[in-house]
Amino acid sequence: FAGGCLFSVLFYAPLVRLQDSFRQAESPATESGRTPDFRILVIGFALFVFLVPLFYFGGARTALPLGTAIEGALFVTIGIGILALALVDIVQRKAADSLLLGLWVFGTFVFAAVMNWTITSRTFLPMAPAVVILLIRRLRLSAANGSFMPWWLILPAALVSLLITIGDYKLANTARIAASQFRQRFRNESESIWFEGHWGFQYYMQQWSAKPLDLEEHGLVPGDVLIVPINNTNVTRKPAAPTIASFEQLNYAQFFATTTNPEVGAGFYSSKWGPLPWLVGSVPSEHYVIFRIK
């Protein structure tokens, strides 16, 4: 999650130097500021290559599809690099500000990964300012040059952020579209319309006559309709009803990037949905199941 949430660090990795840039202000390499430290790239690539089969063959508890394993290995590699960046800064500089930044990064990581009730992206984001400061320390050019990191590296980082945002918007908008279609279809029904799930789907469904289902005291009677969004929280794939008269499933295509889908292991808002904060690839459709109670 740390590497996925701070994915933009990857694009600056070729320009990161192990040696503190402030201590190399007079060196020729620092004058250009763009000489990559290939040791970092080699170490990162070796770690990535090691992690891919580990995730793919289930060495990390659960076997993952190849695409998910590749992205997961990349995220973990970035996360390890971020922690190493903070640790190296403390060791090399031995200053109070380095210790502060290190505690900022490691403290946030420990809370988000160990102490919080679930692993979620928003608990990793507070470390972003500290990571940016640490990164700039390794990328800053000499005082004589007076410039900073190449601006064009922001473009791929912005592109990835935009893709994730579009995927999240598409997922959220699916609930609104589905609820609107259900309203048009069932608004004249004399029987009760029930639904499971929460989040935005609950908000849109409760704007009309649909009622949330209590799983313990459901109150379903013959003729009622129950709508279940499969990719949601507190849902069951089969209603607690004696008999089902009919069953129908509606599918809504998604963008090729997603933040929440257990089928591909994406769980931006909670790791209960998957081990990755987001995923780019073949994203399954959103499924909504309609039951008619007999």
Side-chain angles (χ1 to χ4, degrees):
F1 268 71
C5 295
L6 300 171
F7 187 78
S8 300
V9 172
L10 174 67
F11 301 110
Y12 295 94
L15 300 182
V16 171
R17 294 186 299 274
L18 290 176
Q19 186 65 31
D20 191 341
S21 61
F22 288 106
R23 297 184 180 183
Q24 284 192 325
E26 304 301 327
S27 68
T30 309
E31 287 296 324
S32 66
R34 303 190 181 190
T35 302
D37 191 328
F38 290 102
R39 292 174 297 175
I40 296 177
L41 300 181
V42 171
I43 293 173
F45 182 75
L47 181 60
F48 169 74
V49 171
F50 169 76
L51 290 173
V52 170
L54 183 67
F55 293 157
Y56 180 67
F57 292 108
R61 295 185 181 181
T62 304
L64 300 174
L66 181 59
T68 305
I70 291 175
E71 290 196 36
L74 183 59
F75 292 168
V76 171
T77 302
I78 297 172
I80 293 175
I82 290 172
L83 297 179
L85 191 67
L87 183 60
V88 169
D89 195 75
I90 294 175
V91 172
Q92 288 188 350
R93 293 175 62 86
K94 298 181 177 65
D97 56 349
S98 295
L99 180 60
L100 173 62
L101 292 172
L103 292 175
W104 189 343
V105 171
F106 279 95
T108 304
F109 179 83
V110 171
F111 172 79
V114 179
M115 301 180 65
N116 198 28
W117 70 275
T118 185
I119 299 177
T120 175
S121 296
R122 60 176 174 265
T123 54
F124 285 94
L125 295 181
M127 75 164 63
V131 173
V132 171
I133 294 173
L134 291 169
L135 191 63
I136 290 177
R137 283 183 168 183
R138 300 286 155 176
L139 299 177
R140 181 176 290 183
L141 307 184
S142 66
N145 192 301
S147 60
F148 284 83
M149 63 192 74
W151 64 269
W152 57 266
L153 291 175
I154 299 176
L155 297 180
L159 176 61
V160 172
S161 299
L162 183 60
L163 291 177
I164 299 171
T165 302
I166 293 174
D168 195 50
Y169 166 78
K170 177 71 173 180
L171 176 64
N173 196 47
T174 298
R176 183 184 65 83
I177 294 174
S180 177
Q181 292 179 353
F182 295 145
R183 179 177 184 176
Q184 294 296 323
R185 178 175 174 179
F186 297 112
R187 61 182 176 181
N188 295 324
E189 287 274 347
S190 58
E191 293 80 6
S192 297
I193 309 299
W194 303 86
F195 69 90
E196 294 183 11
H198 296 287
W199 304 337
F201 183 68
Q202 178 181 12
Y203 171 78
Y204 293 119
M205 291 293 285
Q206 287 189 300
Q207 289 184 340
W208 51 292
S209 59
K211 297 181 290 186
L213 182 71
D214 187 331
L215 297 180
E216 295 182 358
E217 300 179 4
H218 52 76
L220 293 170
V221 298
D224 284 356
V225 173
L226 173 63
I227 302 172
V228 180
I230 299 301
N231 185 20
N232 208 298
T233 184
N234 296 336
V235 298
T236 57
R237 293 179 178 268
K238 185 176 181 180
T243 309
I244 299 173
S246 63
F247 167 90
E248 180 183 356
Q249 177 173 300
L250 302 180
N251 302 317
Y252 296 85
Q254 295 298 297
F255 193 60
F256 64 86
T258 187
T259 55
T260 304
N261 194 301
E263 295 184 51
V264 295
F268 188 90
Y269 300 100
S270 175
S271 58
K272 292 183 178 181
W273 263 255
L276 305 182
W278 52 271
L279 183 134
V280 174
S282 178
V283 179
S285 300
E286 286 292 293
H287 308 302
Y288 288 78
V289 181
I290 303 173
F291 297 98
R292 175 76 69 171
I293 308 303
K294 183 176 180 181

